[in-house]
C-alpha cells in the first residue's frame, strides 16, 4: 500500500509537479484549518470567562436611585454676554433656565439649548428664555438665528425696556458678524 | 502489513491503480478545496454577523417625553393613561422601574432609564400629588421637592417590514446569572465543556427518547440552536444538519462561550404579537411581564426559559396550564441543579404566572402622526437603516393633546353627522404649539385609528376664506389700518377669458365697512375690491412669506381662497400668524438617536421673523374680532377673549375650515367629503364646532397678546368710521401701527379692560416676586 502511494507521489512528482504541489499545500492548509483546537484570532471585544457559581436565591430588593434634580446653579455673570437682572422664578421653567445658564457658563451650548427648549415648552412666551436662546446661538456663531431670536424676545418683552435694549445690543453685535 | 501476494499482472496494474488513485485523490482534493472554500465563506459569514451589527432592529418612534412639574395641568387619570401607554405596571408596592400605583390624588411611580439627546436620565422614584386636575407637588421618596421630572417616553410606532422580528438587545452584563444558569440546565448541560457539538448530549437525548418511546429531547447544543436560528432555514435535511454542525464548531472556535450565550439570549424566538415576532429575553420580559429582564423574579425567569421549547404551546396567556406545568419542570431542575435554594423554589411555585395584562399596544395607536414622522424620516434616512439600525426617533406627539382632540372629534362629529353629510363626512385636524411649531396632535381620518388616506397630509382642498388674513396682512403692510373704509359692493373681473362675479356668503352687499369688520365678517366683495387694489402679486408674496412654498397663479379668485392646500400647508401659514409673524418650520421629530444612545440628528427650535410684531398685533386683533363679532361669534365661549382665527368655506359648502390659535396652541380643522360633494356645513357650522370643542379641552388661559412698542390705540365710530374721543355706544377701540392712527384723533387715555387687566397682572407679579 505505502509503496503504491509512494509510487503515486513519485508519479505525480515526476509528471505533474506543477499542479499537484500547490494542491497538496492546500490540503495541508485545509487539514490545519479543520483542526478544531487550532486557536483562531479572537474578535477584539472582551470575553468574560463564564462563571459557574450558583446564583443567590434571594433577589436584592431594588434600591431606587434618587431623582436627577435640576439644581438651580449659582449664576456667575457670564463674561462675554451681558447679564440680565432676571432672576428666574422658582418652578420648572426657572429650574431649567438656571440649568441652561449653568451650561452656558460651562460652554456647553448644545446642552443649554436643550434645557431652554424645555423651559420654553413650559413658558412659551417668556422673553428672557428667548433672549437666553439668542445668547446661545450667538455663542454657536449662528448669527442670523441670533438676530431672529432677539426679535422674538423683543416681540414678547412688552414694556421691559432693559430686556429690549439687551436684545438690541446682542442683535447689533450679531449683525456685525453677518 | 504482511508480505504481499505475488503480482499477477504487474505491468498493467502499476499503471491503472495509480491512475485511479490519482483520480480519487484529485477528486478528494477538489472536494477539500470546495469544503475549504465553503468553510471559509461560512466563517466569514459568521464573523460578519457577530462582529458587526448582529440583528436588524426596527427604529422605534416615541411620543414626546412627559415633563411633570408642579402647576402642570394634568389630572391623575390622564397621568395614569399616559403611564399605561408607556406600559407601566400598576403594582403595590412598586417592585422596580416602570411601576406605579395610585392612592386617590397621589401617584407613586418609578421612571425607567432613558437616553435623551441631553444624556441619560436615570430611573427616578417620585410621588406626585394632585390638586384637582393640576399637579400640586412632586417629591422624592425622601421627601425632597423636585422642580421637574421628565418621564421616559411612550413608544408609539416602529419602522419595519410588515412581518418582522423585534427585539431589545442586551449586553452580557445586563443578563441575570440565574437566567444563564437555568438556560444551560434546561437546554444544554454540557454548554461550558463542549466545542459546539455534544455527543454526550445526543446520547443522553437518544436514551431519553428510547425510554419514552417518542421524541422528548433534542440533542442540539445551544450553539447549534443559535446557528440554526441565525444562519439557516428551517428545512430538515441531512445537509443542513451537517452545515449546522460545522458552523457550530466554527462559532465555538472563534467566539467565547459568553458571547455565544449572549447572542442566544438575544436571538431566541419567544412568541408572536400579530405580525411582530418577539425575539430575545429582553423584549419577552417586557412583552410578558412589563419589566426589564434584570427585574424578573425566579418564577418569571423559569417561565421564559421554559418557553424556549415551544413559545406558542407554552404561551402564558393563551395556554396557561401548559405554561404553568412547564415552569414547574424548569423550577424543579433549577432546584436539583442547585441554581436556587429550597426557599426560593417554594416561593416561586406559589407565584402566579403573570401579574400584568398584555401591554396595550401604543404602536399603531396614532397612525396619522406616525405616517408624517415616517415621511419626514425617509427624506433624510435610508429606508434600510430605518428598518435595521435600531434608531430611536423622539417626536413631538403629545398623547394628552391627541387624546383630548380625539374625544372631542368623536363627540362632535356624531352630532354633525346627524345634521349633515351623514357617514361620509370626513375630517382632518392638526394641533401645534403656538410658539414652537411642534406638531402635538394630528388626525387624518374621522376615525383617528384608521390608517388609510391621511387627509391632514394629502387632502388638497380649496381653502376659501382662510386666505383672507393674508390679503388683509398685505393691506396692513401697505399702510392700511383696521379703520380703513372698504367698499363691499359688486365687482366683476375678467379672469381666464371669463367674467368673474363673486358674491357674499349672505348674497348681500354691505356698502362701506371698516377693514377689521370686513375681515371679521368675511365679506367677499370687500376682500376682492381690496385685493385688486393692493395687487395680487403682493398677496401671493405674503402667502409665501407666511410659509406656503408652492407657486400660485395671480387669478383674482385667489383672493377668496380658490387655491387647493392640505391642512398641513394651511398649518404652516397659520403657524406664522399665531407666533406673531415668526416663521417656524412645523416639526414632528425632535431628534434621532442611534442604537448606542449617540445623538444623530436634532431638529432644534428655529425662528425667522417674516412680519413685524406691530403688524401681527393689529392682525391678531382683527382675528379676535372674528370671535367677538364675526363669523365665529356663534362659538359658546366667543366673548371670553380665548381665541383668534378664521373660518373658511368653499363653493357650495364642499369644504368647511377653521384655523386659528389659543394662548398655547395653533390648530387647523377641515371637514368635507372624499367625493367632494357638498356637506351642508359652512366653516362656522362645521369645522369651528369641532375646533372650538377641542380648543376648549386643551387650552385654559385667555389669549395673551403682548403689545409691542410701536402700537397706538384709537377709538372710532363704527358707523361713520370717524375717529372719536370718548367711549360711547357704536364706538370701538382699535390698535394701530403708530403713525397710521387716525390723524385727528386725540389720543384718549387707555381706559379699557385690557389696561386694567395689565395693571392688575403686573401688580400680581410684583406681589408674587415679593413673596418669593
Amino acid at each position: 500500500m505505502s509503496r503504491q502511494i509512494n509510487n503515486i507521489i513519485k508519479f505525480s512528482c515526476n509528471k505533474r509537479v506543477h499542479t499537484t504541489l500547490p494542491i497538496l499545500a492546500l490540503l495541508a492548509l485545509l487539514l490545519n484549518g479543520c483542526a478544531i483546537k487550532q486557536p483562531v484570532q479572537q474578535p477584539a471585544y472582551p470575553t468574560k470567562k463564564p462563571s459557574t457559581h450558583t446564583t443567590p436565591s434571594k433577589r436584592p430588593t431594588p434600591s431606587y436611585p434618587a431623582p436627577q434634580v435640576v439644581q438651580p446653579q449659582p449664576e456667575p455673570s457670564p463674561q462675554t454676554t451681558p447679564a440680565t437682572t432676571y432672576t428666574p422664578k422658582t418652578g420648572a421653567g426657572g429650574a431649567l433656565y438656571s440649568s441652561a445658564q449653568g451650561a452656558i457658563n460651562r460652554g456647553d451650548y448644545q446642552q443649554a439649548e436643550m434645557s431652554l427648549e424645555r423651559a420654553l415648552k413650559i413658558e412659551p412666551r417668556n422673553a428672557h428664555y428667548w433672549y437666553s436662546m439668542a445668547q446661545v446661538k450667538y455663542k454657536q456663531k449662528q448669527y442670523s438665528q441670533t438676530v431672529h431670536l432677539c426679535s422674538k424676545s423683543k416681540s414678547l418683552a412688552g414694556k421691559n425696556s432693559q430686556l429690549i435694549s439687551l436684545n438690541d445690543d446682542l442683535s447689533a453685535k450679531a449683525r456685525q458678524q453677518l | 502489513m504482511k508480505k504481499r501476494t505475488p503480482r499477477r499482472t504487474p505491468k498493467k496494474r502499476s499503471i491503472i491503480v495509480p491512475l485511479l488513485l490519482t483520480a480519487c485523490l484529485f477528486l478528494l482534493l477538489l472536494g477539500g478545496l470546495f469544503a475549504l472554500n465553503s468553510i471559509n465563506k461560512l466563517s466569514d459569514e459568521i464573523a460578519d454577523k457577530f462582529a458587526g451589527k448582529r440583528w436588524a432592529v426596527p427604529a422605534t418612534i416615541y411620543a414626546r417625553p412627559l415633563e411633570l412639574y408642579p402647576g402642570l395641568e394634568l389630572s391623575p387619570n390622564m397621568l395614569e393613561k399616559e403611564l399605561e401607554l408607556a406600559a407601566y405596571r400598576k403594582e403595590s408596592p412598586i417592585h422596580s422601574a416602570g411601576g406605579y400605583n395610585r392612592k386617590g390624588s397621589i401617584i407613586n411611580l418609578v421612571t425607567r432609564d432613558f437616553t435623551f439627546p441631553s444624556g441619560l436620565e436615570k430611573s427616578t422614584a417620585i410621588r406626585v400629588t394632585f390638586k384637582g386636575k393640576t399637579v400640586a407637588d412632586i417629591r422624592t421618596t425622601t421627601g425632597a421637592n423636585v422642580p421637574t421630572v421628565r418621564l421616559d417616553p411612550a413608544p408609539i410606532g416602529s419602522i419595519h417590514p410588515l412581518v418582522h422580528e423585534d427585539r431589545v438587545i442586551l449586553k452580557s452584563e445586563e443578563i441575570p446569572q440565574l437566567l444563564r444558569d437555568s438556560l444551560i440546565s434546561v437546554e444544554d448541560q454540557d454548554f461550558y465543556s463542549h466545542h459546539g457539538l455534544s455527543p454526550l448530549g445526543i446520547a443522553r437525548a437518544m436514551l431519553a427518547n428510547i425510554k419514552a418511546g417518542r421524541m422528548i429531547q433534542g440533542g442540539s447544543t445551544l450553539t447549534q440552536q443559535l446557528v440554526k436560528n441565525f444562519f439557516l432555514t428551517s428545512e430538515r435535511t441531512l445537509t443542513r444538519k451537517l452545515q449546522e454542525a460545522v458552523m457550530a464548531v466554527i462559532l465555538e472556535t472563534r467566539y467565547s462561550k459568553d458571547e455565544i450565550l449572549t447572542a442566544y439570549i438575544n436571538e431566541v424566538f419567544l412568541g408572536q404579537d400579530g405580525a411582530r415576532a418577539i425575539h430575545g429575553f429582553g423584549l419577552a420580559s417586557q412583552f410578558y411581564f412589563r419589566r426589564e429582564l434584570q427585574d424578573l423574579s425566579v418564577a418569571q425567569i423559569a417561565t421564559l426559559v421554559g418557553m424556549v421549547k415551544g413559545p406558542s404551546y407554552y404561551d402564558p396567556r393563551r395556554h396557561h396550564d401548559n405554561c404553568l406545568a412547564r415552569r414547574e419542570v424548569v423550577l424543579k431542575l433549577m432546584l436539583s441543579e442547585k441554581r436556587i435554594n429550597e426557599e426560593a423554589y417554594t416561593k416561586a411555585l406559589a407565584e402566579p404566572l403573570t401579574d400584568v395584562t398584555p401591554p396595550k399596544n401604543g404602536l399603531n395607536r396614532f397612525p396619522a402622526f406616525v405616517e408624517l414622522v415616517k415621511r419626514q424620516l425617509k427624506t433624510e434616512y435610508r429606508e434600510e437603516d430605518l428598518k435595521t439600525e435600531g434608531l430611536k426617533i423622539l417626536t413631538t406627539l403629545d398623547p394628552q393633546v391627541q387624546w383630548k382632540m380625539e374625544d372631542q372629534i368623536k363627540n362632535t362629529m356624531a352630532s354633525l353627522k346627524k345634521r349633515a353629510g351623514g357617514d361620509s363626512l370626513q375630517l382632518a385636524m392638526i394641533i401645534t404649539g403656538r410658539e414652537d411649531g411642534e406638531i402635538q396632535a394630528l388626525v387624518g381620518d374621522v376615525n383617528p385609528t384608521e390608517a388609510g388616506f391621511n387627509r391632514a397630509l394629502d387632502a388638497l382642498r380649496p381653502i376659501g376664506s382662510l386666505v383672507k388674513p393674508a390679503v388683509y396682512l398685505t393691506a396692513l403692510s401697505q399702510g392700511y389700518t383696521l379703520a380703513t373704509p372698504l367698499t363691499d359692493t359688486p365687482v366683476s373681473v375678467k379672469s381666464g377669458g371669463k367674467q368673474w362675479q363673486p358674491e357674499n356668503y349672505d348674497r348681500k352687499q354691505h356698502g362701506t365697512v371698516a377693514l377689521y369688520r370686513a375681515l371679521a365678517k368675511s365679506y367677499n366683495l370687500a376682500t376682492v375690491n381690496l385685493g385688486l387694489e393692493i395687487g395680487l402679486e403682493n398677496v401671493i408674496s405674503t402667502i409665501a412669506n407666511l410659509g406656503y412654498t408652492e407657486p400660485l397663479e395671480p387669478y383674482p379668485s385667489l383672493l377668496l381662497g380658490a387655491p387647493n392646500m392640505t391642512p398641513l400647508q394651511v398649518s404652516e401659514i397659520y403657524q406664522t400668524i399665531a407666533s406673531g409673524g415668526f416663521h417656524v418650520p412645523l416639526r414632528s421629530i425632535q431628534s434621532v438617536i442611534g442604537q448606542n444612545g449617540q445623538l444623530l440628528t436634532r431638529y432644534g427650535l428655529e425662528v425667522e421673523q417674516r412680519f413685524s410684531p406691530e403688524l401681527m398685533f393689529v392682525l391678531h386683533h382683527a382675528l379676535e374680532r372674528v370671535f367677538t363679532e364675526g363669523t365665529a361669534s356663534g362659538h359658546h365661549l366667543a366673548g371670553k377673549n380665548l381665541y383668534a382665527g378664521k373660518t373658511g368655506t368653499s363653493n357650495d359648502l364642499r369644504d368647511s375650515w377653521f384655523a386659528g390659535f389659543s394662548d398655547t396652541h395653533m390648530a387647523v380643522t377641515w371637514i368635507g367629503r372624499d367625493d367632494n360633494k357638498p356637506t351642508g356645513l359652512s366653516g362656522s357650522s362645521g369645522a369651528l364646532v369641532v375646533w372650538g370643542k377641542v380648543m376648549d379641552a386643551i387650552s385654559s388661559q385667555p389669549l395673551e397678546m403682548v403689545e409691542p412698542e410701536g402700537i397706538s390705540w384709537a377709538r372710532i365710530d363704527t358707523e361713520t368710521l370717524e375717529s372719536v374721543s370718548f367711549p360711547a355706544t357704536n364706538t370701538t377701540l382699535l390698535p394701530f401701527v403708530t403713525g397710521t392712527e387716525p390723524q385727528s384723533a386725540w389720543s384718549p387715555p387707555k381706559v379699557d379692560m385690557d389696561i386694567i387687566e395689565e395693571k392688575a397682572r403686573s401688580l400680581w407679579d410684583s406681589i408674587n416676586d415679593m413673596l418669593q
Side-chain angles (χ1 to χ4, degrees):
Chain A
M1 199 63 174
S2 60
R3 247 185 71 197
Q4 280 171 18
I5 292 172
N6 280 341
N7 277 345
I8 293 163
I9 293 172
K10 243 166 137 183
F11 176 81
S12 313
C13 287
N14 292 339
K15 311 274 179 186
R16 306 216 177 143
V17 67
H18 305 300
T19 48
T20 320
L21 263 182
I23 291 173
L24 281 175
L26 272 174
L27 177 68
L29 216 89
L30 170 72
L31 289 170
N32 197 28
C34 282
I36 285 164
K37 280 293 178 189
Q38 188 68 26
V40 180
Q41 196 194 1
Q42 288 284 327
Y45 37 87
T47 59
K48 277 190 207 155
K49 275 277 156 241
S51 62
T52 45
H53 72 86
T54 54
T55 312
S57 55
K58 250 193 198 162
R59 295 197 316 134
T61 41
S63 59
Y64 303 134
Q68 230 183 12
V69 177
V70 189
Q71 290 293 353
Q73 307 271 338
E75 203 180 323
S77 57
Q79 300 112 14
T80 42
T81 48
T84 73
T85 50
Y86 180 66
T87 24
K89 301 198 169 61
T90 51
L96 290 164
Y97 175 81
S98 301
S99 125
Q101 296 307 314
I104 292 174
N105 293 335
R106 286 198 309 274
D108 189 349
Y109 302 121
Q110 194 177 41
Q111 200 71 32
E113 196 184 332
M114 290 189 279
S115 292
L116 284 170
E117 279 183 22
R118 284 171 73 188
L120 278 168
K121 242 181 241 325
I122 296 165
E123 294 171 65
R125 273 196 302 289
N126 187 316
H128 297 279
Y129 298 175
W130 285 101
Y131 172 66
S132 208
M133 195 68 137
Q135 289 179 304
V136 169
K137 288 293 164 185
Y138 186 83
K139 291 286 189 184
Q140 291 174 325
K141 298 190 166 55
Q142 296 182 32
Y143 301 117
S144 153
Q145 204 38 229
T146 309
V147 171
H148 287 298
L149 285 162
C150 285
S151 305
K152 181 78 187 176
S153 172
K154 250 182 92 173
S155 80
L156 297 167
K159 304 276 186 276
N160 186 337
S161 54
Q162 192 203 11
L163 186 57
I164 290 170
S165 73
L166 281 174
N167 274 304
D168 285 341
D169 293 349
L170 183 58
S171 188
K173 249 171 77 186
R175 271 175 217 279
Q176 279 172 9
Q177 304 283 344
L178 281 173
Chain B
M1 203 178 261
K2 290 262 171 179
K3 282 230 169 172
R4 59 184 58 252
T5 50
R7 284 173 282 175
R8 262 174 278 169
T9 49
K11 277 220 163 146
K12 260 193 176 174
R13 259 186 164 186
S14 65
I15 299 162
I16 292 166
V17 171
L19 261 177
L20 269 173
L21 283 171
T22 313
C24 282
L25 187 62
F26 219 73
L27 283 173
L28 227 134
L29 285 171
L30 255 157
L33 255 175
F34 275 121
L36 175 74
N37 224 332
S38 61
I39 285 173
N40 269 341
K41 236 179 91 189
L42 279 179
S43 191
D44 286 348
E45 221 180 280
I46 291 165
D48 274 356
K49 266 216 169 176
F50 261 77
K53 49 185 186 291
R54 295 176 193 183
W55 290 281
V57 182
T60 306
I61 300 171
Y62 292 90
R64 63 90 193 85
L66 176 61
E67 185 106 46
L68 281 178
Y69 55 91
L72 175 69
E73 273 180 51
L74 178 75
S75 69
N77 285 350
M78 290 307 274
L79 176 56
E80 273 199 271
K81 195 169 177 183
E82 178 119 12
L83 292 174
E84 273 296 316
L85 183 73
Y88 273 62
R89 308 173 306 277
K90 193 168 190 172
E91 61 191 15
S92 199
I94 300 171
H95 295 300
S96 53
Y100 83 98
N101 58 47
R102 176 176 173 185
K103 288 172 194 105
S105 60
I106 291 173
I107 289 180
N108 297 297
L109 66 94
V110 182
T111 66
R112 308 186 185 99
D113 283 357
F114 194 85
T115 304
F116 288 98
S118 56
L120 174 71
E121 202 111 324
K122 295 286 276 176
S123 171
T124 291
I126 49 165
R127 158 171 303 212
V128 186
T129 310
F130 293 83
K131 195 169 182 191
K133 289 185 174 178
T134 306
V135 174
D137 91 359
I138 304 171
R139 282 169 196 276
T140 63
T141 39
T142 55
N145 255 310
V146 185
T148 171
V149 173
R150 191 158 45 157
L151 303 191
D152 47 306
I156 54 165
S158 73
I159 299 174
H160 52 71
L162 187 61
V163 175
H164 69 287
E165 297 181 2
D166 199 5
R167 51 169 57 77
V168 172
I169 294 174
L170 300 173
K171 295 191 191 80
S172 169
E173 60 268 23
E174 293 170 315
I175 298 168
Q177 190 59 39
L178 183 61
L179 173 66
R180 298 164 195 269
D181 293 343
S182 20
L183 200 56
I184 287 164
S185 296
V186 173
E187 292 292 325
D188 184 1
Q189 293 186 10
D190 309 317
F191 179 71
Y192 283 120
S193 52
H194 65 60
H195 299 291
L197 309 172
S198 170
L200 208 68
I202 296 170
R204 202 184 294 131
M206 267 168 69
L207 207 68
N209 292 343
I210 288 164
K211 255 191 204 162
R214 62 196 163 92
M215 272 292 281
I216 56 161
Q217 214 174 320
S220 284
T221 62
L222 284 178
T223 320
Q224 280 172 290
Q225 291 182 35
L226 176 62
V227 162
K228 193 170 80 186
N229 296 340
F230 225 19
F231 306 110
L232 301 169
T233 56
S234 58
E235 59 168 333
R236 302 182 78 159
T237 63
L238 195 66
T239 332
R240 218 226 48 188
K241 199 78 196 159
L242 258 161
Q243 231 178 345
E244 180 189 299
V246 173
M247 288 172 96
V249 173
I250 293 173
L251 205 63
E252 290 274 350
T253 56
R254 293 189 67 151
Y255 296 97
S256 73
K257 291 285 182 188
D258 182 55
E259 284 165 320
I260 291 168
L261 189 58
T262 305
Y264 182 91
I265 283 169
N266 282 322
E267 165 57 36
V268 68
F269 170 67
L270 284 167
Q272 195 72 37
D273 176 30
R276 179 171 78 132
I278 308 295
H279 279 261
F281 281 84
L283 182 62
S285 171
Q286 292 177 2
F287 182 67
Y288 292 107
F289 304 116
R290 294 197 190 189
R291 282 176 174 80
E292 299 308 314
L293 190 58
Q294 300 92 312
D295 299 327
L296 291 192
S297 69
V298 172
Q300 287 162 337
I301 287 178
T303 305
L304 291 184
V305 169
M307 287 174 67
V308 170
K309 197 177 168 195
S312 167
Y313 187 77
Y314 297 113
D315 187 312
R317 290 177 191 140
R318 284 180 299 156
H319 300 290
H320 179 273
D321 293 347
N322 297 351
C323 185
L324 201 64
R326 177 73 182 155
R327 186 182 80 174
E328 206 176 310
V329 171
V330 175
L331 282 171
K332 250 183 208 149
L333 200 59
M334 283 160 102
L335 178 69
S336 67
E337 297 269 319
K338 298 200 167 48
R339 307 297 194 191
I340 54 173
N341 61 21
E342 194 76 44
E343 185 194 350
Y345 173 74
T346 327
K347 190 169 164 270
L349 272 186
E351 230 177 80
L353 253 192
T354 178
D355 54 354
V356 295
T357 51
K360 283 201 190 89
N361 211 339
L363 308 177
N364 305 327
R365 177 61 192 73
F366 309 108
F369 180 85
V370 167
E371 195 192 341
L372 171 65
V373 170
K374 285 181 184 172
R375 279 195 205 176
Q376 196 191 327
L377 284 173
K378 279 173 193 166
T379 63
E380 287 170 49
Y381 288 86
R382 295 190 315 150
E383 175 122 19
E384 191 54 27
D385 293 343
L386 292 171
K387 285 179 176 168
T388 60
E389 294 291 321
L391 303 180
K392 292 189 169 73
I393 320 290
L394 302 192
T395 75
T396 57
L397 179 91
D398 186 330
Q400 299 290 335
V401 175
Q402 177 81 21
W403 282 323
K404 287 177 187 167
M405 172 175 78
E406 289 179 4
D407 284 351
Q408 295 306 324
I409 287 173
K410 201 175 147 209
N411 296 340
T412 321
M413 286 307 279
S415 61
L416 277 183
K417 276 180 177 174
K418 271 182 214 152
R419 275 173 43 205
D423 283 337
S424 40
L425 220 51
Q426 267 299 347
L427 167 144
M429 187 162 182
I430 297 171
I431 302 178
T432 68
R434 180 178 161 198
E435 303 292 345
D436 62 16
E438 292 193 351
I439 299 174
Q440 299 181 356
L442 183 146
V443 293
D445 193 293
V446 74
N447 175 8
T449 50
E450 198 71 42
F453 180 45
N454 194 334
R455 290 159 195 84
L457 315 183
D458 297 326
L460 271 167
R461 294 308 191 105
I463 60 169
S465 302
L466 291 191
V467 80
K468 282 178 186 161
V471 179
Y472 287 79
L473 182 57
T474 313
L476 290 171
S477 68
Q478 292 184 10
Y480 286 69
T481 73
L482 293 186
T484 305
L486 301 183
T487 48
D488 190 59
T489 50
V491 54
S492 181
V493 209
K494 199 156 188 166
S495 173
K498 278 195 238 166
Q499 277 310 114
W500 181 59
Q501 282 181 292
E503 283 189 317
N504 273 328
Y505 183 71
D506 60 5
R507 303 190 187 266
K508 289 179 190 155
Q509 309 167 26
H510 305 93
T512 301
V513 290
L515 183 140
Y516 79 88
R517 200 164 170 80
L519 177 55
K521 291 278 196 185
S522 201
Y523 292 152
N524 288 343
L525 301 182
T527 306
V528 173
N529 281 319
L530 173 67
L532 294 173
E533 231 171 82
I534 58 179
L536 289 173
E537 292 294 352
N538 292 326
V539 174
I540 289 174
S541 90
T542 300
I543 297 173
N545 260 333
L546 284 169
Y548 182 70
T549 50
E550 305 288 314
L552 285 172
E553 292 295 323
Y555 297 126
S557 58
L558 163 88
L559 297 167
L560 298 183
N564 292 327
M565 293 187 195
T566 65
L568 189 64
Q569 289 172 326
V570 171
S571 299
E572 287 277 3
I573 291 175
Y574 274 79
Q575 187 70 46
T576 309
I577 295 175
S579 67
F582 290 84
H583 179 253
V584 200
L586 294 188
R587 289 175 299 154
S588 58
I589 303 175
Q590 281 181 336
S591 49
V592 178
I593 298 171
Q595 203 159 10
N596 301 319
Q598 76 280 23
L599 177 61
L600 296 181
T601 322
R602 213 176 83 77
Y603 301 85
L605 187 56
E606 266 175 46
V607 300
E608 186 188 335
Q609 187 168 32
R610 298 268 175 97
F611 300 92
S612 80
E614 285 79 14
L615 279 183
M616 294 314 292
F617 184 81
V618 172
L619 180 68
H620 283 180
H621 183 86
L623 293 176
E624 277 188 274
R625 293 207 177 219
V626 171
F627 277 90
T628 51
E629 59 190 272
T631 52
S633 56
H635 180 65
H636 70 288
L637 292 173
K640 302 213 166 145
N641 185 30
L642 289 172
Y643 312 121
K646 187 71 196 77
T647 50
T649 313
S650 70
N651 287 344
D652 306 321
L653 306 176
R654 293 173 202 277
D655 302 279
S656 161
W657 291 93
F658 197 85
F661 53 97
S662 69
D663 193 54
T664 46
H665 296 93
M666 191 292 300
V668 173
T669 307
W670 168 85
I671 295 176
R673 290 169 54 135
D674 286 344
D675 58 12
N676 203 22
K677 287 195 174 134
T679 60
L681 295 169
S682 67
S684 40
S685 68
L688 170 64
V689 183
V690 175
W691 189 96
K693 289 279 184 200
V694 173
M695 282 306 218
D696 291 351
I698 61 173
S699 321
S700 53
Q701 64 261 47
L703 186 56
E704 185 196 13
M705 305 281 195
V706 181
E707 188 180 317
E709 287 176 296
I711 289 291
S712 305
W713 292 79
R715 186 169 290 278
I716 64 156
D717 185 311
T718 54
E719 299 296 321
T720 63
L721 308 188
E722 300 275 312
S723 138
V724 291
S725 304
F726 299 103
T729 46
N730 296 331
T731 69
T732 192
L733 193 63
L734 292 174
F736 294 85
V737 177
T738 302
T740 66
E741 65 269 34
Q743 286 307 304
S744 59
W746 163 75
S747 188
K750 285 164 91 187
V751 193
D752 199 64
M753 282 314 287
D754 288 357
I755 312 299
I756 295 171
E757 196 187 323
E758 200 179 289
K759 286 266 154 63
R761 216 175 264 166
S762 66
L763 185 69
W764 177 246
D765 281 351
S766 44
I767 292 171
N768 254 346
D769 286 349
M770 266 161 32
L771 288 176
Q772 281 155 15

